[in-house]
């Protein structure tokens, strides 16, 4: 019953002929923790993203080895991943780099970015990772992030797709809508975001 319902929904959505955009994608994840005075963003990025940015990205230089490439990508992330507190961009720094066990394109590297966090009513998260690089004419790379956001020990966002065209706005000073706290609604929203994004 459930499978047939999902199939019907997909057929209806396909019939709507929504504009879908296929791009080369380097999928990653974001865990953002907001505390009094500080915000910590842990970005799990694919090694493919590191390799593409190191060879074709804005500000790329010839890295002498893999470790130098990882360090270079930390600076790249600081330029292309942005936190704004009540509209003001925060200054970040790379606090930690956790190298991958698998150094191929299938592996993932984790970067921990730290920001001084003033008292704010709203936090906006933006990124434009790899979008300056064309895979083919008119077809840029993308690096979407599946995001989770915590305010202290309180989950604000359980699952959201963060892309260059879809930033994330998180209210901090008021109670969060139930849709952000519910795992079921979060997974449904994430599935819809992926469908709409063409992934």
């Amino acid at each position: 019953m459930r499978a047939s319902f999902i199939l019907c929904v997909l057929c209806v959505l396909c019939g709507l002929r929504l504009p879908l955009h296929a791009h080369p994608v380097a999928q990653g994840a974001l865990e953002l923790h907001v505390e009094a005075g500080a915000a910590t963003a842990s970005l799990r990025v694919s090694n493919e993203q590191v390799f593409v940015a190191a060879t074709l990205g804005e500000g790329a230089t010839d890295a002498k080895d893999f470790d130098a490439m990882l360090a270079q990508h930390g600076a790249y992330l600081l330029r292309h991943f942005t936190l704004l507190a009540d509209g003001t961009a925060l200054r970040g720094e790379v606090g930690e780099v956790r190298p991958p066990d698998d150094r191929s394109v299938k592996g993932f590297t984790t970067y921990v970015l730290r920001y001084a966090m003033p008292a704010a009513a709203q936090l906006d998260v933006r990124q434009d990772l790899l979008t300056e690089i064309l895979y083919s004419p008119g077809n840029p790379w993308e690096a979407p992030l599946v995001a989770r956001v915590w305010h202290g020990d309180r989950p604000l966002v359980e699952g959201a797709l963060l892309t260059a065209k879809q930033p994330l706005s998180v209210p901090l000073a008021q109670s969060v809508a139930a849709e952000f706290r519910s795992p079921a609604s979060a997974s449904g929203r994430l599935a819809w975001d992926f469908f709409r994004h063409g992934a």
Side-chain angles (χ1 to χ4, degrees):
M1 178 70 177
R2 180 180 173 86
S4 61
F5 173 75
I6 293 173
L7 181 60
C8 288
V9 170
L10 288 175
C11 289
V12 169
L13 291 175
C14 290
L16 293 176
R17 299 187 182 184
L18 295 173
L20 300 179
H21 308 284
H23 302 281
V25 171
Q27 174 79 41
L30 165 67
E31 285 273 346
L32 179 59
H33 291 264
V34 181
E35 309 282 350
T40 303
S42 296
L43 289 92
R44 183 175 182 264
V45 303
S46 70
N47 291 344
E48 181 179 33
Q49 178 187 145
V50 175
F51 297 147
V52 169
T55 55
L56 302 171
E58 160 266 320
T61 59
D62 291 331
K64 64 180 186 295
D65 56 30
F66 185 75
D67 291 332
M69 192 180 297
L70 294 183
Q72 176 177 289
H73 196 67
Y76 177 87
L77 289 175
L78 287 175
R79 294 193 300 272
H80 293 272
F81 177 84
T82 307
L83 297 183
L84 300 99
D86 292 340
T88 301
L90 304 180
R91 184 178 179 86
E93 63 180 16
V94 179
E96 183 182 355
V97 179
R98 299 173 193 153
D101 294 326
D102 180 353
R103 294 193 168 201
S104 74
V105 293
K106 296 180 180 180
F108 287 84
T109 301
T110 299
Y111 291 84
V112 179
L113 309 182
R114 305 189 192 282
Y115 301 81
M117 180 73 193
Q122 178 166 303
L123 184 66
D124 292 301
V125 189
R126 299 177 185 171
Q127 63 99 338
D128 61 352
L129 300 168
L130 302 186
T131 57
E132 79 277 15
I133 305 168
L134 292 180
Y135 180 78
S136 60
N139 191 23
W141 277 83
E142 288 195 37
L145 299 167
V146 177
R148 297 177 68 198
V149 182
W150 299 78
H151 192 196
D153 59 358
R154 180 169 59 115
L156 298 185
V157 177
E158 283 292 340
L161 187 63
L162 173 63
T163 72
K165 294 181 180 178
Q166 184 173 306
L168 184 61
S169 294
V170 183
L172 300 176
Q174 57 190 15
S175 59
V176 180
E179 66 170 303
F180 283 112
R181 296 195 300 267
S182 166
S185 64
S187 61
R189 186 178 67 251
L190 182 60
W192 171 250
D193 285 345
F194 269 113
F195 180 81
R196 185 178 61 181
H197 193 64

